[in-house]
Amino acid sequence: MPEKLKWKDIFKQILLQIFLLAVTATVLFPILWVFSIALDPRNIDKPLELELIPPGASFAAFHRVLFEPYKLLCKNPTDLSTCMTFPLLLKNSLFVSLGTALFTVVLGASAAYAFSRFKFIGREAGMIGFVAMLMLPATGTIAPLYVLLSQIKLPGTGEALRTTLLGLMIAYTAGALPFSIWNLKGYFDTVPKELEEAALIDGATPTQTFLRIVLPLSLPALAVTVLLGFMSGWTEFVLAWLLLENPSRFTLPMALRSMQGQFSTPWSDFFALAIVMSAPPVLLFFALQRYIVSGLTVGGVKG
Amino acid sequence: MTIPFLGRKKRKLTPEERARLWKETRRAWLYIAPAGVVMLIISFFPQVFQLWMAFTDYRIKNLRFNLFDSSTWEKYAPPFVGFENFVKILTSSLALENYNFARLLTFNVVWTVANVFFHVVIGVAIAMALNEKFLIGRRLYRALFVLPWAIPGLITAVVWHNMYDDRFGAVNQLLAVLNQNIGTHFPTDIKWLIDPTPPIGGPLSFLPLAFYAVLIANIWLGWPFMSVVATGALQSIPAELYEAAAIDGANGWQKFWKVTVPLIRPAMVPAIMLGTIWTFNNFNVIYFISGGGPFGRTEILVTQAFKLVYEQRLYGVGAAFSIVVFFILLIITLIQNRLTRATEAYNA
């Protein structure tokens, strides 16, 4: 009996490996293609053949995107020293993405906790209101948003919120909140209430039980929220193009988009920057992988 | 999913209960307030404004209209046109090339159904393969398989657009490599995104080759999310259930339909609903890969709305379009909700 079982297992293992290797090949094919173009020294043309390492492969494109000024993103096009550089773009992008992640997780967790734990007037309507925002396309809302954010002036400098990275951060947060609140509420629902009740009897306030008991037990869902908040700040560029004015505030996806010319695009540079830009989210996904599976409740894994 | 707490019965509250309810209500809205204010400013207000725009002939000159500056009201306020925008959209009488609402909607629905179907089937199949007990290399596979999800969407879309290039694209080049090494005879000059002739005739002849190309790209992008959700659900199924099923003499197929499917269902249903909403409005993939072409045949509602606003500068019509999309999605979500509730009762 055990002998027979073993053969069956080996057979199964082989079939699974063939299947998963095929999946791996499809997943990796576009990615390897991108690498091969980024390494291609010819830059303008697309390759005529499929080669992982193109002839004359070099890291020149990576060197260009990391160390040379971005000539399309300058305050004064005739003066290269006013152009954006990779470190400056990275700084802006990190600021926006981390800020979005932080806002999303703080505001989202607070609202989700209310929806999960309190019985109150307007609970249904509030939850439906947040979720309905997922279904409303924002295409027509950019013009009013533009006007509105132009009206709000920052205290101190008197700048319009629209032209600042803070404004962008708030806009991205609003985009990330509906899903985050939904997901976090689903997770909070699975945290046993008995723990909080015990704490309340011991004299803790609801805020204390939220901060000390519910949040620490919800790390996976919080990690997912941080990740998705970071991603929306890291990759968005349509809104950024429309709202920001000063090139010194531009972000990495804007720089990437700016490389795509109407007639020609420096493809090696484009893909080199694309690879550099993909690295942080990919590493973040790897780092948080353990949490992603359990933190993505989408409303009812553990129901 | 969602539409939570509907249909709960109301009863009279005692004064004590009412006082508690008010206290809880105040506290709850304090917790919601920060998120609520942000949503109010960034999402809700512009949406209300959009709703108003949808009933006006808002054009480029009306952009100078500023709700907060009364001196612009008289001069730049757009004329009110009632339901004219909606009528024009629904009766396909917009002055646009290749515009046909019925075709757009049909395509959008087919696009969504096809994508979500493949995302779920492939996602669940791979999650199950990765969930096998003695699998070698599980961690490596899991790490690799989040890549399509983790790479920024703009980048993937541009990459796929280039891969479908008829002369320099990787897809045709891959076919050439296959022809050389296995002796197949695929054509290697396929115009994936341009060729208007449908590869499958009959009832599917409204789908150009570009549809299948974009579908493949979006399947590549979308299954990891479903796979992750399915993995979470699969891991929460106790092994005893499978053992019990085995003792009862169930084969693999029966175990799948009687144990796995009912138990991952509660997790998959909300994910499918979300996937439906996301795919229905998946702007990036269509806009950056096929651009809606050839001849507008792979246009979906949101890309059409975007073009109305940014190419035609018909802000009012674009706003009306968004409202139409919202109602269509609402109807789809309600139907799905109904269907899943109905089958839930059946399964239980």
Side-chain angles (χ1 to χ4, degrees), chain A residues 257-273:
Chain A
R257 182 69 177 146
S258 76
M259 283 184 181
Q260 274 195 293
Q262 201 170 359
F263 302 109
S264 76
T265 302
W267 284 114
S268 297
D269 291 3
F270 183 93
F271 285 132
L273 184 59

Side-chain angles (χ1 to χ4, degrees), chain B residues 93-140:
Chain B
S93 42
L94 289 174
L96 270 185
E97 252 184 292
N98 305 312
Y99 175 75
N100 177 339
F101 184 77
R103 195 205 61 219
L104 262 180
L105 182 59
T106 318
F107 181 84
N108 210 153
V109 170
V110 170
W111 155 254
T112 309
V113 171
N115 269 299
V116 174
F117 173 79
F118 284 113
H119 289 168
V120 172
V121 170
I122 296 173
V124 170
I126 292 171
M128 285 179 63
L130 287 175
N131 210 39
E132 286 296 332
K133 240 188 275 166
F134 304 106
L135 183 75
I136 299 166
R138 185 199 324 264
R139 284 173 59 109
L140 185 64

Side-chain angles (χ1 to χ4, degrees), chain A residues 293-294 300-303, chain B residues 131 228-242 259-260 262-268:
Chain A
V293 171
S294 55
V301 174
K302 294 143 202 141
Chain B
N131 210 39
V228 165
V229 174
T231 300
L234 285 171
Q235 287 176 347
S236 69
I237 301 178
E240 294 86 53
L241 283 179
Y242 289 109
V259 181
T260 312
L263 285 170
I264 63 169
R265 194 170 172 282
M268 294 315 289

Side-chain angles (χ1 to χ4, degrees), chain A residues 12-13 17 26-27 33 46-48 107 110 119 121 123 140 142 148 151 179 182 235 267 286 289 298, chain B residues 2 5 24-25 29 31 41 50 66 68 132 134 136 141-143 152 162 165 168 173 220 270 274 310:
Chain A
K12 201 170 169 186
Q13 183 75 244
Q17 292 295 341
T26 17
V27 166
W33 187 69
K46 293 165 202 174
L48 285 163
L107 305 189
S110 158
K119 284 199 179 65
I121 300 167
R123 184 162 108 140
I142 288 171
L148 185 75
Q151 295 301 314
F179 176 77
W182 182 8
T235 59
W267 284 114
F286 286 168
Q289 189 149 38
V298 260
Chain B
T2 65
F5 340 112
E24 285 240 319
T25 301
W29 283 104
Y31 273 86
I41 297 175
Q50 174 170 258
N66 182 341
F68 305 96
E132 286 296 332
F134 304 106
I136 299 166
Y141 286 127
R142 285 231 161 103
N162 283 315
D165 192 284
F168 306 109
Q173 287 168 1
W220 185 87
L274 258 181
Y310 294 97

Side-chain angles (χ1 to χ4, degrees), chain A residues 111 114-115 118-130, chain B residues 4-5 8 10 21-22 24-26 28-29 32:
Chain A
F115 284 120
F118 300 140
K119 284 199 179 65
F120 59 96
I121 300 167
R123 184 162 108 140
E124 275 171 51
M127 196 67 201
I128 290 173
F130 276 112
Chain B
F5 340 112
R8 179 180 303 159
K10 291 223 168 86
L21 181 66
W22 276 112
E24 285 240 319
T25 301
R26 228 186 35 235
W29 283 104
I32 298 170

Side-chain angles (χ1 to χ4, degrees), chain A residues 8-47:
Chain A
K8 210 180 132 195
D9 283 347
I10 292 171
F11 183 63
K12 201 170 169 186
Q13 183 75 244
I14 292 171
L15 278 183
L16 281 173
Q17 292 295 341
I18 292 173
F19 173 59
L20 292 170
L21 284 172
V23 175
T24 306
T26 17
V27 166
L28 287 183
F29 178 68
I31 297 170
L32 292 177
W33 187 69
V34 166
F35 269 95
S36 79
I37 294 180
L39 294 174
D40 200 305
R42 289 164 291 184
N43 209 5
I44 34 170
D45 256 335
K46 293 165 202 174

